[in-house]
Amino acid sequence: MDTLDTHNNKKLAQVSKEPQRLNKAQIAELEKVQSISKIIYNQFKEHKAAVIGAYTILFFVLVALSAPIVEKVMGVNAENQNVFHRYEPPFTTISAGTDTRENEVRKYIEENPESAAIVQAELIKEEFVTVSRPEDALYEWARFEKRKAMAAIRLLSIDQDIKTDLRNVAKKFEIYHLFGTDELGRDVLMRLIYGTQVSMGVGILVALSSALIGLLIGAIAGYYGGFIDTMLMRITDALLSLPTIPVLIVVAAIDLQKVPVLASLLSHGSESILKLIFILCIFSWMPVARLVRGSILTLREREFILASKTLGATDFTIITRHMFPNVIAPLLVSVTLGVGESILFEAALSFLGLGIQPPTPSWGNMLFNAQELIYRAPFLAILPGLLILFVTISFNYVGDGLQDAIDPKTIKR
Amino acid sequence: MPGDPVELMISANPKITAADVARLRSFYGLDQPIYERYFNWVSDIAKGELGYSRTYRIPVTEMMGPALTSTFVLSTVSLAFSLLVAIPLGILCALKPNSRVDYVVNLFNFAGISVPSFWLGIVLIIIFAVKLQWLPAGGYQTTGVEYETLMEEILDKAAYLILPVISLSIQSIGRFSRFTRSAMLEAMRNDFIRTARAKGLASNIVIWKHGFRNALIPLITVVALSISSIFSGALITETLFAYPGVGRLIYSSIIGNDFNVAMVSFIISVSMVLLMNLVADLLYGVVDPRVSYN
């Protein structure tokens, strides 16, 4: 509590220099003891770049989670392919393929058969379309350009409600691609957003689970010491000294379907994601384990641990109730930094074609697809990389900010 | 990486009979239990028999030599380059902490740590090879050129090295520069720095001889640990720039099921990293006389 008191006293001293006097409520506010999380929070806010980073991450998370909404607003479908419009540059509007249009019209006719019949009769009466069978009138209308189709609706003498419905159908005749299209004519914006879900999801999951593994191993090694410590730490050292990317590639190249036990456990769709998370976890828990072991080693000698031992607490209680709260702050930093690193590794592996397998989009495998086309469509290669850069730099800044915030040397009082 | 080599032969040759398969399996020793196969392989490696490449039909030893040289050149050049850039940057920041220069360099460092090196490579290719056409997009040397002088050869190969070295160094520049800054800040806070200044030494001597020498110790640890990551990164960079080093060999042999090449190049790359770690450990003693290895 010593530091907290000086903190408040200093603040009081500063305040008392000012001419106007404080009212009682403000003094009470200043005298209140600040919790450690509050101090860390206040300290974190001082680090401008970290705060910007935190908002960037929040923004990306929100965008990733609102993928279905964006899909609806932009009027695009993430999985629709269009071979006639591949590698379109950003900000292009293309007219949809015949099958998309006919699907929309069919859906409309199925949902509103009565009004569809009226429209078909009107279309033929006004001689906008010439068809042998009246049922084909709407399909024939669907072949118009969007503007022409809209104009035709305006001239028809039908109810306003039906006109609105038809306009909604006609809107689908054109697709606006904010970031252009990729090698299969898919919308790059939607691919990027779904890629954000995958890449950030993998990054966060890997960081969290490797932190858990590291916490467990580090705690056991630090608390029990002796032979267990030596053995666990030698394993950690051995894994740390391996060159990461070559090892990851070798492990990623193993086909898990060939391993009899795992084949039944893994469903086919998410296999590559689960496998990637698993592989990255195996090779990223070591720094956490070292960090936790170091903290636990010093904690072990402290009086409060002796006190709880004297009171008859079990090892489990001592480790989880008394030691873990003391390592959470540095752990948080290393998880945050770990997310950025895992995103980079995921991207690197997917970039080499060994990570997340298409059609599931991730930033890495979008780059993998794009690298062969840099002459024709350079933007395809630039966009996913920019997102990786933004997200990783944000996580690194947040980690740096947290590090400064929990470091007692840098806390300003 | 599916199955064993015999399965690949089966898929390559539909006319193969069951008897042939059994014969092939016993010929390659694949019918023996796994531990026996492992010991056979280890003793072959120890004897220097590295086997043949499945794809290129030449002994692995012949492929390893040139690949190792290329990777060694690439890694060393990029390590030297990143140290040459990072140390002055870090010292500059440490001498003027919280100045505008410090903030700009700090942003650059963070960008360097966060940027995926392969993406940077792609961007560099787009800018310098596709748009400006100043530098070659990939490869090792201009094909079909006879070098008349040594200088000509070096200049030609250097042009091919520039882009890979930049994309490989950017991450280590960021890391080294951040570390130099904090180590240097710590070192300049020592009392003997004040003493050195007080006795009227030139500031260059204070910075380099008194400050930097002490900042070197933590720096060496980071540099040593980074050698492994530079080596790992070289794999992606080499693949991207079609540079014929060990990294690309590992990648292409794994993708192409070239077992002997994959295992040997993997062993070599791991042992190179371990060797570098040992060298770094020994270097402590050179830099800091307080460390002894008795």
Side-chain angles (χ1 to χ4, degrees):
Chain A
M1 289 303 109
D2 224 23
T3 54
L4 298 179
D5 284 340
T6 46
H7 170 87
N8 288 337
N9 287 342
K10 282 261 176 72
K11 247 193 184 172
L12 273 177
Q14 270 174 11
V15 167
S16 61
K17 274 181 210 148
E18 290 161 14
Q20 84 272 27
R21 305 207 31 104
L22 292 161
N23 61 33
K24 271 191 179 153
Q26 278 168 315
I27 293 173
E29 180 64 31
L30 283 170
E31 282 176 342
K32 220 162 60 190
V33 173
Q34 281 186 307
S35 69
I36 189 77
S37 53
K38 180 100 187 170
I39 295 177
I40 291 179
Y41 174 70
N42 285 336
Q43 189 67 26
F44 182 77
K45 279 199 301 190
E46 302 270 303
H47 199 305
K48 284 281 176 303
V51 175
I52 296 172
Y55 279 118
T56 315
I57 293 169
L58 194 69
F59 170 75
F60 274 100
V61 170
L62 286 180
V63 169
L65 291 181
S66 61
I69 302 171
V70 179
E71 207 165 2
K72 219 164 238 161
V73 171
M74 299 295 295
V76 289
N77 187 325
E79 276 151 25
N80 265 9
Q81 301 179 3
N82 189 345
V83 277
F84 299 109
H85 294 280
R86 305 189 299 164
Y87 318 120
E88 293 290 344
F91 312 116
T92 41
T93 312
I94 61 165
S95 55
T98 349
D99 51 338
T100 320
R101 292 158 178 243
E102 285 179 358
N103 273 338
E104 287 300 328
V105 170
R106 186 175 308 126
K107 217 163 72 189
Y108 176 73
I109 296 178
E110 273 166 17
E111 279 167 16
N112 324 290
E114 285 146 31
S115 43
I118 301 173
V119 178
Q120 280 163 346
E122 278 292 318
L123 277 169
I124 297 170
K125 205 181 92 192
E126 298 278 340
E127 291 182 347
F128 287 135
V129 291
T130 43
V131 282
S132 47
R133 295 187 306 154
E135 297 90 72
D136 292 342
L138 265 173
Y139 289 108
E140 204 55 38
W141 167 76
R143 289 178 184 277
F144 290 174
E145 284 297 302
K146 185 185 166 194
R147 270 210 2 237
K148 205 176 157 195
M150 286 288 199
I153 299 168
R154 208 178 59 233
L155 295 173
L156 290 179
S157 49
I158 45 176
D159 284 354
Q160 276 305 320
D161 295 356
I162 304 178
K163 281 190 177 181
T164 331
D165 286 350
L166 278 178
R167 282 205 183 95
N168 283 336
V169 175
K171 263 183 203 157
K172 303 273 170 67
F173 291 2
E174 256 179 14
I175 302 169
Y176 179 61
H177 292 294
L178 183 66
F179 287 150
T181 55
D182 71 354
E183 72 280 352
L184 292 174
R186 292 171 294 196
D187 184 65
V188 174
L189 174 72
M190 287 321 297
R191 300 269 302 161
L192 281 174
I193 292 177
Y194 281 108
T196 311
Q197 285 184 353
V198 174
S199 292
M200 280 183 83
V202 168
I204 292 170
L205 272 178
V206 168
L208 285 179
S209 27
S210 61
L212 264 180
I213 302 173
L215 187 65
L216 194 72
I217 291 183
I220 292 173
Y223 187 76
Y224 291 105
F227 174 71
I228 297 175
D229 182 28
T230 319
M231 195 184 66
L232 287 176
M233 281 304 112
R234 286 303 83 76
I235 294 174
T236 312
D237 287 346
L239 281 176
L240 263 181
S241 65
L242 291 176
T244 331
I245 297 272
V247 175
L248 284 179
I249 286 175
V250 170
V251 181
I254 297 171
D255 192 349
L256 284 189
Q257 296 288 345
K258 296 256 155 114
V259 183
V261 189
L262 290 173
S264 54
L265 284 174
L266 295 168
S267 60
H268 202 77
S270 56
E271 183 211 332
S272 67
I273 299 184
L274 286 178
K275 185 175 141 188
L276 194 69
I277 293 175
F278 179 68
I279 293 168
L280 287 177
C281 277
I282 299 177
F283 293 103
S284 56
W285 57 266
M286 296 85 74
V288 183
R290 277 190 161 183
L291 182 102
V292 172
R293 172 182 174 265
S295 321
I296 297 252
L297 272 183
T298 56
L299 285 174
R300 201 171 58 165
E301 309 300 325
R302 299 274 287 276
E303 283 84 0
F304 68 93
I305 298 296
L306 186 68
S308 47
K309 262 189 196 160
T310 322
L311 287 172
T314 57
D315 289 352
F316 180 78
T317 318
I318 294 175
I319 294 178
T320 50
R321 293 283 302 276
H322 300 291
M323 285 176 160
F324 281 177
N326 285 297
V327 294
I328 277 199
L331 198 66
L332 201 62
V333 175
S334 107
V335 168
T336 322
L337 294 174
V339 176
E341 203 164 298
S342 310
I343 290 177
L344 282 182
F345 276 131
E346 181 274 316
L349 277 183
S350 302
F351 173 71
L352 292 171
L354 292 165
I356 289 165
Q357 299 301 322
T360 311
S362 90
W363 294 333
N365 68 23
M366 289 180 77
L367 275 172
F368 173 66
N369 292 333
Q371 65 167 327
E372 326 222 311
L373 303 157
I374 49 178
Y375 288 86
R376 192 163 165 194
F379 59 91
L380 272 183
I382 291 174
L383 286 173
L386 271 183
L387 293 194
I388 299 177
L389 176 63
F390 282 146
V391 171
T392 325
I393 208 172
S394 306
F395 272 108
N396 282 342
Y397 264 125
V398 171
D400 191 56
L402 282 176
Q403 178 118 55
D404 281 358
I406 62 165
D407 185 359
K409 268 189 276 181
T410 55
I411 291 182
K412 293 184 198 103
R413 297 196 191 96
Chain B
M1 202 179 207
D4 59 88
V6 175
E7 261 173 50
L8 285 171
M9 290 176 197
I10 295 173
S11 59
N13 181 2
K15 280 185 199 156
I16 208 161
T17 60
D20 285 338
V21 172
R23 199 167 48 79
L24 276 171
R25 279 196 189 281
S26 73
F27 177 71
Y28 285 111
L30 287 171
D31 47 355
Q32 289 163 6
I34 196 155
Y35 58 89
E36 233 167 83
R37 278 189 265 161
Y38 178 71
F39 279 113
N40 284 342
W41 177 74
V42 169
S43 56
D44 278 353
I45 291 283
K47 274 183 271 176
E49 290 167 18
L50 306 184
Y52 281 80
S53 159
R54 206 182 64 86
T55 11
Y56 299 99
R57 312 273 172 202
I58 52 169
V60 177
T61 23
E62 273 177 36
M63 302 173 71
M64 279 309 164
L68 267 177
T69 335
S70 320
T71 298
F72 186 73
V73 169
L74 180 63
S75 312
T76 329
V77 170
S78 80
L79 184 65
F81 175 70
S82 42
L83 285 176
L84 277 180
V85 175
I87 290 178
L89 277 183
I91 292 181
L92 194 70
C93 292
L95 294 181
K96 287 178 183 167
N98 299 326
S99 65
R100 189 163 296 166
V101 182
D102 189 20
Y103 282 122
V104 173
V105 173
N106 191 30
L107 184 67
F108 172 78
N109 291 343
F110 267 95
I113 294 170
S114 314
V115 75
S117 66
F118 48 93
W119 175 72
L120 186 75
I122 294 180
V123 172
L124 288 175
I125 292 179
I126 291 176
I127 295 174
F128 291 103
V130 179
K131 295 272 185 256
L132 298 173
Q133 309 219 326
W134 286 352
L135 295 165
Y140 177 58
Q141 60 186 59
T142 316
T143 38
V145 170
E146 295 282 324
Y147 298 115
E148 281 166 17
T149 56
L150 182 69
M151 200 59 206
E152 204 178 305
E153 186 179 348
I154 292 176
L155 280 180
D156 182 54
K157 287 186 178 166
Y160 283 86
L161 266 180
I162 295 175
L163 294 186
V165 164
I166 294 178
S167 82
L168 187 54
S169 313
I170 196 79
Q171 193 165 29
S172 32
I173 290 180
R175 192 174 300 153
F176 293 168
S177 156
R178 258 166 64 95
F179 241 87
T180 315
R181 179 182 179 273
S182 62
M184 196 66 185
L185 266 181
E186 199 78 17
M188 294 302 275
R189 230 178 267 147
N190 280 322
D191 288 341
F192 58 78
I193 296 288
R194 205 174 17 176
T195 315
R197 282 198 203 284
K199 74 183 182 192
L201 283 181
S203 70
N204 258 335
I205 295 184
V206 178
I207 292 169
W208 290 100
K209 224 177 147 190
H210 294 77
F212 184 62
R213 178 89 192 251
N214 281 286
L216 260 183
I217 299 156
L219 194 63
I220 280 188
T221 322
V222 178
V223 173
L225 285 176
S226 297
I227 290 174
S228 131
S229 78
I230 288 179
F231 201 85
S232 309
L235 193 151
I236 297 176
T237 316
E238 280 170 7
T239 314
L240 180 64
F241 287 96
Y243 187 86
V246 180
R248 201 173 72 118
L249 207 58
I250 295 183
Y251 178 67
S252 61
S253 57
I254 287 175
I255 296 296
N257 289 310
D258 202 344
F259 304 97
N260 285 328
V261 182
M263 286 190 287
V264 172
S265 45
F266 188 66
I267 289 178
I268 288 182
S269 69
V270 172
S271 41
M272 249 170 89
V273 167
L274 294 180
L275 199 74
M276 295 291 192
N277 287 349
L278 178 71
V279 169
D281 273 349
L282 294 179
L283 267 182
Y284 290 136
V286 178
V287 179
D288 188 355
R290 284 168 294 187
V291 178
S292 70
Y293 294 103
N294 293 329

